[in-house]
Amino acid sequence: MKKIAVIYGTRPEAIKMAPLIKALQSDPRFEAHVILTGQHREMLDQVNSIFGIIADSDLDISEAGQTLTSITTKVLEGLAGQLSEVNPDGVIVQGDTTSALAGALAAFYQQIPVFHLEAGLRSGNIYNPFPEEVNRKLISQLANLHFAPTEANKLALLRDGVADETIVVTGNTVIDALLHTAELPGDLDDPQLLGATRDEARQIILVTTHRRENWGEPLAHIAAAVAKISTGFPEARIVLPMHKNPAVRAILHEYLDGLDNVYLIEPLDYAQFAKMLNRAYLVLTDSGGVQEEAPSLGKPVLVLRETTERGEGVEAGNVTLVGTDTARIVAETTRLMRHPEHYAAMTAASNPYGDGTASVQCIGALWAYFERLTAKKKFDDS
Ligand code: UD1
Ligand code: UDP
């Protein structure tokens, strides 16, 4: 049996790790040891609770005003002791957060193999998204096995000099997670949403925003655009589950408080958010995960960023990069709201991120990795 430490700390990592943890737990060849960094708190706990995941340990590092340096140093220090104690056969990290980078580095320092879930995403700009583009490039240097969601991600890894035989194209576990929520009982019934969802005929514009490179002025431009859309389309409902970051919330409140058709609400639990996404007419977001979920639900997405590492959604036709300029966001939203033919062109459902079997494929590749290792050892010993 191989003991795998699964290390994560934020909401999107929790969502994308959950199907993999479940698959590891139900496979007799593996033992999963879940270590939370606690980079996020409420938003992390909310996801673990939806998926019924109980962590084996929790560094609980989260604090208001945390910095990239404080997160990195606390996670590295906390994991040093944890990994010595647990002594896993390998460590899985996901994506591109600071928890993921520090997790990979902490494992490398103890010469523990690193497996990277969602490998090979690249925007081509080291400051956008910041610091994620560099985090994922560094993790690629540290990882022994790379689970790439798409062929394009595999090509990006090859371009960075990663060995072909260490890359497996698996799809993205976010689709496994999304399909799992469809099986959960319950309707779209979060009490915060009742005013927005009561009238089935009303169009809902779903908005999320949190990116570090958007903090400050770009976020103010986004908020100003949402305010203009709210007054330009008074019959629509704008649902904006706010990230917990107080810096993000302050700007959203400043621009959007008091607008009747804007619902500035607490983060929705993942099951409710997935249902909200399904109900929404269109989506404005700077999130990575939401860009992946929307195409499989056939929802048009305007991405509030200058670059994307998720070109598959753009190619599929569901996603348009609009940046953070107020006028451009308002114009593109108006085009979708006013021109049915343009809207229809962005609603074909597609499946660029997999069919919901990514976690099973990852586990197959993980076992093959250990088998190769054993075979090599036997050969070396003979
Ligand atoms: C982090 C990741 C980003 C990811 C995002 C997902 C890094 C550098 N950034 O950014 O890649 O897209 O998570 O949401 O790893 N907070 C709470 N409760 C929570 C979560 C956050 O209060 O449950 C507040 C805290 O005040 C915290 C602040 O939000 O200091 C910022 O959190 P942090 O994890 O540093 O950055 P994110 O913007 O969430
Ligand atoms: N999400 C959620 N509740 C919300 C907003 C988002 O469960 O109120 C989910 C969403 O479905 C997606 C993930 O959170 O899977 C994205 O997280 P976030 O935008 O924080 O991070 P990113 O993907 O940009 O790293």
Side-chain angles (χ1 to χ4, degrees):
M1 188 189 257
K2 296 293 176 192
K3 190 195 279 186
I4 307 295
V6 185
I7 300 174
Y8 60 100
T10 67
R11 172 171 65 190
E13 294 165 85
I15 290 168
K16 291 168 176 176
M17 285 292 205
L20 192 56
I21 294 169
K22 293 285 187 200
L24 285 170
Q25 285 172 339
S26 61
D27 189 323
R29 297 172 297 181
F30 293 102
E31 177 191 345
H33 188 95
V34 175
I35 304 177
L36 305 181
T37 68
Q39 178 177 336
H40 282 176
R41 194 67 280 162
E42 303 89 331
M43 286 160 55
L44 174 65
D45 298 341
Q46 201 177 35
V47 179
N48 284 339
S49 149
I50 285 282
F51 285 93
I53 288 170
I54 297 164
D56 296 285
S57 54
D58 189 343
L59 304 179
D60 198 19
I61 66 151
S62 159
E63 60 184 354
Q66 63 200 18
T67 63
L68 299 179
T69 307
S70 70
I71 302 167
T72 310
T73 50
K74 281 185 177 180
V75 173
L76 265 180
E77 281 181 2
L79 285 179
Q82 279 288 317
L83 290 177
S84 304
E85 204 177 295
V86 176
N87 193 24
D89 297 294
V91 157
I92 302 182
V93 296
Q94 194 283 332
D96 51 23
T97 69
T98 296
S99 283
L101 173 60
L105 193 54
F108 172 71
Y109 284 162
Q110 300 194 21
Q111 298 190 21
I112 300 167
V114 173
F115 310 118
H116 188 199
L117 183 61
E118 197 183 78
L121 278 68
R122 298 287 184 268
S123 71
N125 179 340
I126 62 165
Y127 292 110
N128 199 311
F130 175 82
E132 290 84 359
E133 175 77 355
V134 165
N135 284 351
R136 53 202 177 206
K137 283 171 85 90
L138 293 175
I139 297 171
S140 296
Q141 298 303 309
L142 298 168
N144 300 65
L145 191 55
H146 311 259
F147 301 123
T150 68
E151 289 292 338
N153 301 145
K154 175 175 176 173
L155 286 176
L157 288 166
L158 292 172
R159 274 197 300 273
D160 277 1
V162 174
D164 195 348
E165 62 274 17
T166 65
I167 309 169
V168 200
V169 177
T170 58
N172 197 313
T173 54
V174 76
I175 304 300
D176 307 21
L178 193 62
L179 294 178
H180 170 79
T181 65
E183 286 161 17
L184 295 174
D187 300 323
L188 180 57
D189 57 4
D190 186 300
Q192 303 179 93
L193 291 172
L194 289 181
T197 55
R198 196 178 294 123
D199 182 350
E200 292 275 338
R202 288 204 190 274
Q203 289 167 332
I204 294 183
I205 301 173
L206 178 62
V207 185
T208 80
T209 179
H210 72 82
R211 294 239 80 82
R212 195 168 284 261
E213 65 276 7
N214 282 348
W215 292 359
E217 218 170 278
L219 182 56
H221 294 157
I222 291 171
V226 174
K228 285 194 169 172
I229 294 164
S230 135
T231 46
F233 297 92
E235 68 289 356
R237 297 288 173 260
I238 298 172
V239 172
L240 202 169
M242 286 186 292
H243 190 284
K244 279 281 181 189
N245 186 346
V248 171
R249 290 186 165 210
I251 294 178
L252 295 176
H253 281 301
E254 183 187 332
Y255 282 83
L256 301 171
D257 272 353
L259 295 170
D260 282 349
N261 57 344
V262 178
Y263 291 75
L264 278 186
I265 59 174
E266 288 301 312
L268 292 169
D269 75 39
Y270 185 54
Q272 287 293 304
F273 188 82
K275 289 184 202 310
M276 186 69 247
L277 204 49
N278 220 355
R279 166 78 166 78
Y281 189 68
L282 68 95
V283 185
L284 269 56
T285 191
D286 62 12
S287 162
V290 177
Q291 281 180 69
E292 294 156 348
E293 291 157 348
S296 83
L297 299 172
K299 296 293 168 178
V301 182
L302 301 179
V303 176
L304 309 168
R305 292 174 45 183
E306 307 302 334
T307 63
T308 186
E309 56 289 302
R310 291 161 167 100
E312 294 85 353
V314 179
E315 276 163 35
N318 304 91
V319 174
T320 305
L321 263 185
V322 295
T324 57
D325 176 68
T326 304
R328 171 107 203 267
I329 297 168
V330 175
E332 292 292 340
T333 303
T334 304
R335 198 146 83 96
L336 276 167
M337 295 293 278
R338 294 265 188 259
H339 299 282
E341 70 295 346
H342 178 58
Y343 182 84
M346 286 184 74
T347 55
S350 70
N351 220 356
Y353 300 107
D355 56 5
T357 60
S359 37
V360 173
Q361 294 189 50
C362 289
I363 292 219
L366 199 55
W367 188 250
Y369 169 88
F370 285 114
E371 281 189 329
R372 278 197 303 276
L373 218 60
T374 310
K376 184 174 180 310
K377 190 169 181 312
K378 267 195 197 144
F379 181 79
D380 290 347
D381 290 348
S382 65

